[in-house]
Amino acid sequence: MLHPKTRGPDRDGPHIAVVGAGIAGLTLAVALARAGLRCDVYEQTRRMREVGAGVQIAPNASRLLHRLGLGERLRELAVRPSAVEMRRWDDGALLGRTALGAECEELYGAPYYTVHRADLHQQLLCRLADGSLHIGLRCVGAEEDADGAVLRFEDGSVRRADLVVGADGIHSVVREALAPDEPRFSGQSIYRGLVPSERLPFLTADPKVRLWLGPEQHLVCYPVSGGRLISFGATAPAGDWTAESWTADGRVAELALTYAGWNPDVRKIVEAPDAVGRWALHDRDPIDRWTTGRIALLGDAAHPMLPFMAQGANQAVEDAVVLAGCLAGAEAGPDGLRAALVRYEELRRPRTDLIQRQSRANSAKFHLSDGDGQRERDAELIGSQNLREQEWLYGHDAEAALADA
């Protein structure tokens, strides 16, 4: 099925350079084009290809992706799980259940999806304006001067723009222009993989996001690709594993050994894949600023978070739509651009700071050893998994917040 390209710019505006063609950078490019603003996207990869496993898209992001024109294809490619269920690691006892499905969509006006990251990436990619994506260019520096911003690339080339946006992930080069910090190692690693759903038929009759919580580790799984695949993420203490790459290979036998003694459903999942990826988990502390007059950060470059609230991609989508909206409403000239970036940061930072910290806190909460603390957590989960309690997260409309500001 062919899709129309996003229309090009239809009015004068700042020339924007986006570093990174992941979900954050591509969502920004599509949102900018919708607003009639031109941008160029620079990506270090020499060949765009499918990587990664599954991603959860909650209503706070799905409502925005629908407005960007992805609704029809997401309904075809993604899965709408009926619930999130948390269970014990050993006997599989149910600890908490949050209804999703039709109830979630009715309550928050948008669906909860589970989707293959590559499917989402491709749907954003095919909506870029022609000629706006430049691959095989590794950014090695970003700086601003009196006339704008400058990007320097590994091949010696230089690009100028009115504004540079760093959407280049947790190891952002653009971030170095604003903050001298380093990624923080969590002590955890994660195995991720995809399994044909026919190998795990007990997971297919009622599609759900399923989590099993245990000492020092947990496993989450859900269907993607229209239900044809099961995506899973299995955390484990990292030990001496330090690789952090979407393409780093793990070992299936090692994964299975890591989950020895867990309940039979978990054992079936970790023994089912033909291959797994593994990488160490890092985040960073919130920083005091995301913007200067000519440089801004977005997504993981601004607020890299551990995956224990499943909000990393969702917050990147929120960032992108708000930044595009702020820039679309900016007055011409450097002062207008600076004011737009201040507005973007003021709208976004309090929310992402909170989600970053809660994601980090969940790393400990999910991995408690059996004992008093674990029993207290389980009692709390049993009584707190009400869909309406997610209003602050799922009910947030980033565009409405921008309009109200």
Side-chain angles (χ1 to χ4, degrees):
M1 181 177 180
L2 297 176
H3 303 281
K5 297 288 184 180
T6 302
R7 64 183 175 87
D10 56 14
R11 66 175 178 83
D12 292 334
H15 175 212
I16 302 161
V18 180
V19 181
I23 289 173
L26 294 185
T27 303
L28 176 62
V30 174
L32 288 170
R34 181 184 63 160
L37 295 173
R38 62 194 177 111
C39 76
D40 287 287
V41 182
Y42 299 97
E43 168 58 40
Q44 65 182 3
T45 304
R46 295 189 177 277
R47 182 170 63 91
M48 303 299 284
R49 61 190 180 92
E50 295 186 1
V51 296
V55 60
Q56 299 178 56
I57 300 296
N60 51 300
S62 67
R63 75 176 84 255
L64 305 177
L65 293 171
H66 282 196
R67 292 171 191 163
L68 293 176
L70 276 70
E72 180 182 352
R73 292 297 284 151
L74 282 174
R75 291 185 186 97
E76 295 171 358
L77 295 167
V79 175
R80 288 190 287 179
S82 64
V84 175
E85 289 187 349
M86 292 186 173
R87 296 181 177 272
R88 267 188 62 79
W89 69 279
D90 51 359
D91 59 7
L94 183 65
L95 301 176
R97 182 181 189 277
T98 302
L100 296 176
E103 183 176 342
C104 180
E105 188 164 0
E106 181 178 354
L107 184 60
Y108 295 122
Y112 194 110
Y113 290 124
T114 54
V115 61
H116 194 311
R117 183 179 292 270
D119 289 339
L120 175 57
H121 190 265
Q122 179 60 33
Q123 292 310 305
L124 292 166
L125 189 64
C126 71
R127 286 167 172 79
L128 291 189
D130 289 334
S132 61
L133 177 63
H134 311 275
I135 61 174
L137 288 170
R138 180 187 292 272
C139 179
V140 294
E143 58 196 60
E144 60 181 304
D145 58 25
D147 298 320
V150 180
L151 284 174
R152 304 187 186 281
F153 295 94
E154 190 175 51
D155 65 359
S157 63
V158 175
R159 303 289 192 281
R160 294 198 64 90
D162 297 311
L163 169 66
V164 164
V165 181
D168 48 341
I170 188 170
H171 295 290
S172 170
V173 171
V174 179
R175 182 180 173 117
E176 293 173 7
L178 283 84
D181 63 334
E182 296 290 338
R184 168 191 168 275
F185 180 39
S186 69
Q188 290 278 320
S189 67
I190 188 166
Y191 295 87
R192 285 194 174 105
L194 295 160
V195 180
S197 56
E198 60 266 22
R199 296 185 190 177
L200 301 168
F202 67 98
L203 298 177
T204 60
D206 184 8
K208 299 174 184 174
V209 178
R210 294 171 167 91
L211 296 91
W212 289 266
L213 309 183
E216 298 190 306
Q217 56 199 68
H218 81 281
L219 183 140
V220 58
C221 72
Y222 45 80
V224 297
S225 299
R228 296 185 300 277
L229 298 171
I230 302 296
S231 176
F232 71 87
T235 63
D240 59 0
W241 187 274
T242 59
E244 186 185 12
S245 167
W246 287 104
T247 57
D249 293 329
R251 298 177 181 174
V252 176
E254 189 176 69
L255 168 62
L257 184 62
T258 299
Y259 281 81
W262 283 53
N263 78 78
D265 286 349
V266 172
R267 298 287 302 157
K268 291 174 185 175
I269 295 166
V270 298
E271 293 170 2
D274 295 322
V276 294
R278 186 185 181 190
W279 51 93
L281 291 175
H282 295 74
D283 66 358
R284 295 197 196 217
D285 292 329
I287 53 176
D288 292 337
R289 61 173 186 156
W290 295 358
T291 64
T292 66
R294 298 287 192 166
I295 296 175
L297 302 177
L298 178 80
D300 282 351
H303 47 72
M305 53 187 70
L306 297 175
F308 303 137
M309 284 185 69
Q311 276 290 311
N314 295 271
Q315 293 308 302
V317 170
E318 288 188 17
D319 288 350
V321 169
V322 171
L323 180 54
C326 289
L327 293 172
E331 296 182 4
D335 291 342
L337 190 61
R338 183 177 295 105
L341 297 182
V342 169
R343 188 181 186 203
Y344 158 67
E345 185 172 347
E346 288 178 344
L347 281 167
R348 295 298 302 148
R349 266 189 48 214
R351 179 167 168 83
T352 59
D353 284 0
L354 174 61
I355 294 171
Q356 267 188 289
R357 291 188 174 102
Q358 290 200 10
S359 297
R360 186 180 289 184
N362 280 350
S363 178
K365 184 177 181 180
F366 285 2
H367 303 145
L368 292 172
S369 297
D370 288 346
D372 291 342
Q374 163 261 317
R375 285 187 286 271
E376 181 178 339
R377 176 205 65 193
D378 292 355
E380 178 184 332
L381 288 174
I382 290 169
S384 67
Q385 301 301 293
N386 187 301
L387 182 60
R388 291 185 179 276
E389 293 185 354
Q390 300 301 318
E391 169 68 32
W392 73 276
L393 190 57
Y394 298 166
H396 184 76
D397 186 327
E399 284 190 312
L402 173 59
D404 291 343

